[in-house]
Amino acid sequence: MSGLRAALPACLPALRSHARALCRDHSAADDLVQETILRALAAEAQWQVDTALRPWLFTIQRHAFFAALRRRRREARHAAEAAAPSPSRQPDTLALRDLVAALQCLPALQHEALILVGGQGLDIAVAAAICGVAPGTIKARLSRGRAGLRRMLPGGVASPM
């Protein structure tokens, strides 16, 4: 058994106490102690025998606590955004609808080039191979397609495709 694994049981009461002070909930504190032990064991190679174990574990525990806190806040924010669509998102939806409509009005070859390179993120050479044309042809179709989108979209601004 390694030095860390042998020393961990003696640190458990201090870890529990520290976790309860952070979480203020026994169940959450127990989960935090488990997360701390898992992280410590995963980082076992980083711990040096001459380093004080308890401060090292408390640091791991603190980082785990704040990471979980940030994750819960982010999840709550995303859940709130999904539950109530905000008016600020409506222009994005309208802009996307306008972009899709403009793409449908483009000639098929320009539409295909924009979708492959801009929508799918393919390299020009790969898109050219898929279409069976030279890379310069794809570049020309992209240029003409972007120009067509600029003409059709409100404000004359094309998407970053």
Side-chain angles (χ1 to χ4, degrees):
M1 188 184 300
S2 71
L4 174 66
R5 292 175 189 259
L8 273 175
C11 296
L12 286 177
L15 284 173
R16 282 190 189 107
S17 175
H18 188 241
R20 286 184 182 135
L22 288 172
C23 297
R24 300 178 186 161
D25 173 35
H26 290 292
S27 177
D30 290 341
D31 292 343
L32 181 59
V33 171
Q34 283 184 339
E35 180 66 22
T36 302
I37 298 301
L38 289 173
R39 287 183 181 204
L41 291 174
E44 184 175 5
Q46 297 174 5
W47 182 67
Q48 299 171 358
V49 178
D50 58 339
T51 305
L53 181 58
R54 279 182 49 186
W56 186 69
L57 290 172
F58 285 166
T59 302
I60 291 171
Q61 190 171 60
R62 184 177 180 279
H63 288 240
F65 172 74
F66 284 112
L69 185 64
R70 284 189 301 271
R71 186 173 38 256
R72 282 192 304 270
R73 285 181 181 163
R74 188 172 45 248
E75 288 169 356
R77 186 176 62 242
H78 289 307
E81 287 175 359
S86 66
S88 64
R89 295 184 65 124
Q90 188 176 6
D92 292 342
T93 305
L94 294 175
L96 182 59
R97 188 188 68 207
D98 291 345
L99 175 61
V100 170
L103 275 169
Q104 297 303 324
C105 293
L106 289 175
L109 296 176
Q110 294 173 14
H111 178 255
E112 179 185 36
L114 284 169
I115 294 299
L116 289 174
V117 176
Q120 298 295 327
L122 296 178
D123 186 52
I124 289 176
V126 174
I130 290 171
C131 295
V133 296
T137 304
I138 292 293
K139 289 180 184 178
R141 290 176 184 173
L142 285 171
S143 177
R144 288 191 302 270
R146 288 176 181 147
L149 287 178
R150 276 189 217 97
R151 284 189 306 273
M152 286 185 264
L153 290 176
V157 179
S159 72
M161 281 199 251

